Amino acid sequence: MLDEIFSPQFVQLSLPPILIGALAAIACALPGNFLVLRRQALIGDAISHVVLPGIVVAFLLTGRVSTWPMMIGATVAALVAAILIEAIRRVGRMEPGAAMGVVFTALFAFGVLLLEQSGSRNVHLDVEHALYGNLESLIWLDANGWGSLFDARALAGLPPELPRLAIVAALIATATALFWRPLAISTFDESYAQSIGLPTRLIAFALVAAAAVAAVAAFEAVGSIIVIAMFVCPPAAARLMTDRLGAQVAWSLLFAVISAVAGYVIAGYGPLWFGLPDAVSAAGMIATISGVILAAACLWGPRRLGAGSAA
Amino acid sequence: MTATATAREGVFASDPDSRPGPLVVSGLTVSYGRAPALIGVDLAIAPGSMTAIVGPNGAGKSTLLKAVIGVAPVVAGDIRVFGETLARVRDRVAYVPQRASVDWDFPARVIDVVTMGLYRELGPFGFVRRRHREAAMAHLDRVGMADFAQRQIGQLSGGQQQRVFLARALAQKADLYLLDEPLAGVDAATERAVVAVLHGLRAEGACIVAVHHDLATLRDYFDHVALINRRLVAQGPTAETLTAENLQRTYGGLLAGTQIGRIEIAYAARER
Ligand SMILES: Nc1ncnc2c1ncn2[C@@H]1O[C@H](COP(=O)(O)OP(=O)(O)OP(=O)(O)O)[C@@H](O)[C@H]1O
Ligand SMILES: [Mg+2]
């Protein structure tokens, strides 16, 4: 294993996907903590469904498959969905789960119809890609060892998903740190937050918007299965480790990174260790590991229901 | 005495000699979409008073407090806090919601919840320093909860949770306290502790408005009362306002005549 880490192939083939996976996991797990505490965890699921019509519309408008228009289209679709969910919840007096169900099924169906009608079917937008992403293909051909990390020319050849996700993760982390206190107070007690003058609706919307941006940025690189898993599993597992919000967020980031790294390594090298011929899907394995961590936290977490000093 | 007459008497803001009343509500109508929850309520809270909001379930008591802090859908009417709109005097008002309104499973300790009360002081970005922690502990101590500072909030009894909410409100160092059923479901000892804190605040010059359900203790705890059932039925000093007739009008058939009679007899006996 150690020799593998020091080989040029590791830096070329494994380092970028591991970093991209970890950054995607961090970007999703951060807002996921607050969404789970607000009982809105399903919103990750909703967003990854509505990304489809956004991408198709972006394709129809620009006529080509390029990243930025599609990212923008997907983000707009996610924001529209977030607004629709909120509107249906308030006007129709529906519980959030039902409102999300209505919105994401309808928008996903709309996306499928658009795709069929527009002839953009030939575009490479297949289900498998959407689910599992293409983590394994995000390689860094210009690298020839760890030294390439300090070589500007080699760095220019990095897969673009890496800097993109790094920026998104950094932005979300900065915003979370900056607005920590208002976010925490309004998540815990919305009417109290309003009574001290916090703009609770704006905060709620900004949170969903951050989740949408994280989901869209991660979606293309790692697929929706990781996005959905990372919104829920690391935060839920972290809640069972501690009774403090700050510590919960820290645990969730640790779990997210462990899932991404261990998931990728086990998917890539695990079958070899067991003498099996093929590697398994990294995205599937990363999501699985996050689920395993959650299960372990349910069984042994110090703050699980009925554990320790719990009343 | 009619409701409007009492309301007018109490409009301190219109009296040029005195400072503006802590809370003056006029013509307040609130609706969540169907039938209005409050209709044309006029209310004036006297400075330095402790007023009970009394009425049956669904009468709009919580709605009234929520309208004051600006979170209920106000259809018509005007609310003045210390003679100003709420936005200008927000830091002089502290609100304690009904206990059931939050998720007690939230990952926060007692001390974290009390520290939320320091938001005005800390702002969104300020660091919690030693003096903030000490202030939070002092407020916890005042409600007798200092020993529980490190507990997760879900691991408290109902009465203890209520006291933590009260400590958070104390941390705001407000001049007007709005409390939604601070004495609901607490034992006798806790009730005495909470009432002592509230009377202490009143002695310091603060004004207290609390939703209260127990008619038997009303006279002992509160100097003023406002009877509400979607409309204002009556308001004024407790002794004069808490009459059998007003209670009958507030609760209608809900409160049996004998029950009111028994409360009256109990009060009469105590006063003798
Ligand atoms: N968020 C809301 N949406 C719709 N209707 C509401 C909402 N909050 C309160 N109501 C309705 O408004 C009316 C008044 O409610 P409110 O909570 O003010 O009553 P209350 O006097 O505090 O009752 P209780 O003694 O049970 O606490 C009720 O009929 C209630 O159903
Ligand atoms: Mg109420």
Side-chain angles (χ1 to χ4, degrees):
Chain A
M1 184 74 215
L2 264 185
D3 333 327
E4 273 159 16
I5 288 181
F6 287 111
S7 71
Q9 284 86 350
F10 179 84
V11 178
Q12 244 182 9
L13 304 179
S14 297
L15 185 63
I18 287 179
L19 284 179
I20 289 169
L23 287 169
I26 287 174
C28 293
L30 258 180
N33 277 287
F34 296 94
L35 291 174
V36 167
L37 289 172
R38 288 165 178 248
R39 313 212 180 284
Q40 292 184 327
L42 267 181
I43 219 151
D45 207 347
I47 290 168
S48 43
H49 276 78
V50 305
V51 157
L52 178 65
I55 289 178
V56 178
V57 169
F59 171 78
L60 289 179
L61 290 179
T62 62
R64 58 207 166 91
V65 190
S66 54
T67 309
W68 280 108
M70 289 199 170
M71 290 265 302
I72 293 168
T75 310
V76 169
L79 293 180
V80 166
I83 294 171
L84 272 180
I85 289 169
E86 198 58 19
I88 291 184
R89 204 165 68 79
R90 284 183 199 274
V91 177
R93 293 185 199 290
M94 257 192 217
E95 55 144 335
M100 284 179 212
V102 170
V103 169
F104 74 65
T105 326
L107 283 180
F108 186 66
F110 176 65
V112 171
L113 274 182
L114 265 185
L115 196 61
E116 300 220 307
Q117 286 303 310
S118 63
S120 45
R121 212 172 346 182
N122 343 348
V123 182
H124 183 67
L125 277 174
D126 55 283
V127 173
E128 198 183 328
H129 182 151
L131 265 184
Y132 301 118
N134 58 350
L135 202 47
E136 289 89 343
S137 69
L138 301 175
I139 51 178
W140 186 16
L141 288 175
D142 300 319
N144 50 23
W146 285 93
S148 303
L149 283 177
F150 306 100
D151 176 356
R153 234 174 339 128
L155 281 175
L158 272 174
E161 284 83 355
L162 185 51
R164 198 184 300 144
L165 271 168
I167 291 170
V168 168
L171 281 179
I172 291 180
T174 310
T176 310
L178 269 182
F179 297 107
W180 180 267
R181 189 167 296 137
L183 194 53
I185 294 178
S186 66
T187 300
F188 172 58
D189 190 346
E190 188 160 26
S191 55
Y192 179 76
Q194 279 172 305
S195 84
I196 59 173
L198 291 177
T200 52
R201 276 195 203 168
L202 182 67
I203 293 170
F205 184 75
L207 176 61
V208 173
V213 170
V216 170
F219 176 77
E220 192 209 13
V222 300
S224 61
I225 195 165
I226 295 188
V227 173
I228 296 168
M230 288 306 144
F231 270 122
V232 181
C233 292
R239 175 64 190 92
L240 302 170
M241 300 302 292
T242 171
D243 278 336
R244 302 183 61 176
L245 184 58
Q248 175 186 319
V249 171
W251 275 107
S252 77
L253 295 183
L254 180 70
F255 287 155
V257 171
I258 290 178
S259 306
V261 177
Y264 187 86
V265 171
I266 293 174
Y269 301 94
L272 269 161
W273 298 336
F274 292 107
L276 299 171
D278 293 317
V280 297
S281 144
M285 187 54 79
I286 291 172
T288 305
I289 298 283
S290 74
V292 168
I293 291 176
L294 176 56
C298 286
L299 288 175
W300 300 297
R303 288 291 174 263
R304 69 188 189 279
L305 268 180
S309 56
Chain B
M1 195 168 11
T2 68
T4 20
T6 10
R8 223 172 281 130
E9 269 166 41
V11 178
F12 306 95
S14 61
D15 180 351
D17 293 336
S18 70
R19 57 204 164 104
L23 176 60
V24 177
V25 173
S26 32
L28 178 69
T29 299
V30 179
S31 174
Y32 292 102
R34 281 158 286 195
L38 286 174
I39 306 168
V41 170
D42 293 311
L43 193 67
I45 302 296
S49 70
M50 181 154 151
T51 303
I53 306 286
V54 175
N57 291 133
K61 305 181 295 296
S62 300
T63 301
L64 176 62
L65 297 192
K66 286 182 185 163
V68 175
I69 57 157
V71 304
V74 172
V75 178
D78 186 50
I79 299 170
R80 295 277 148 176
V81 182
F82 300 107
E84 308 263 10
T85 55
L86 177 73
R88 311 185 60 161
V89 286
R90 218 184 262 282
D91 46 344
R92 296 179 68 187
V93 182
Y95 168 65
V96 180
Q98 232 166 322
R99 202 175 56 220
S101 66
V102 305
D103 170 17
W104 289 100
D105 222 17
F106 194 87
R109 296 161 306 163
V110 166
I111 190 79
D112 301 326
V113 173
V114 180
T115 309
M116 290 179 190
L118 297 168
Y119 185 80
R120 279 275 145 189
E121 213 172 302
L122 286 164
F125 313 121
F127 280 104
V128 178
R129 296 179 196 286
R130 187 198 191 94
R131 68 189 152 91
H132 297 118
R133 272 192 296 273
E134 284 170 358
M137 281 307 292
H139 296 304
L140 267 182
D141 196 39
R142 190 163 176 187
V143 300
M145 288 292 294
D147 293 343
F148 296 85
Q150 301 301 321
R151 280 267 190 107
Q152 197 268 329
I153 49 170
Q155 300 170 9
L156 301 175
S157 74
Q160 292 167 341
Q161 292 173 344
Q162 199 70 51
R163 280 188 277 167
V164 173
F165 267 6
L166 182 58
R168 179 178 66 177
L170 292 178
Q172 287 176 258
K173 296 211 188 77
D175 297 315
L176 172 63
Y177 290 84
L178 306 168
L179 306 103
D180 203 341
E181 306 200 20
L183 299 176
V186 306
D187 67 15
T190 303
E191 182 161 325
R192 272 197 302 280
V194 171
V195 170
V197 171
L198 295 182
H199 284 167
L201 287 173
R202 181 178 58 181
E204 289 163 18
C207 179
I208 291 138
V209 177
V211 176
H212 189 58
H213 268 299
D214 185 4
L215 297 176
T217 53
L218 205 56
R219 270 189 223 202
D220 294 338
Y221 297 163
F222 294 90
D223 49 50
H224 283 67
V225 63
L227 294 167
I228 284 183
N229 192 351
R230 293 178 68 207
R231 299 168 192 276
L232 180 75
V233 175
Q235 69 164 320
T238 314
E240 296 151 37
T241 314
L242 206 63
T243 62
E245 191 209 334
N246 280 339
L247 283 173
Q248 193 69 56
R249 279 170 57 209
T250 310
Y251 287 88
L254 294 171
L255 197 66
T258 54
Q259 216 175 333
I260 297 173
R262 219 179 304 135
I263 291 166
E264 294 251 291
I265 292 164
Y267 279 137
R270 219 177 302 166
E271 269 155 25
R272 228 182 286 126

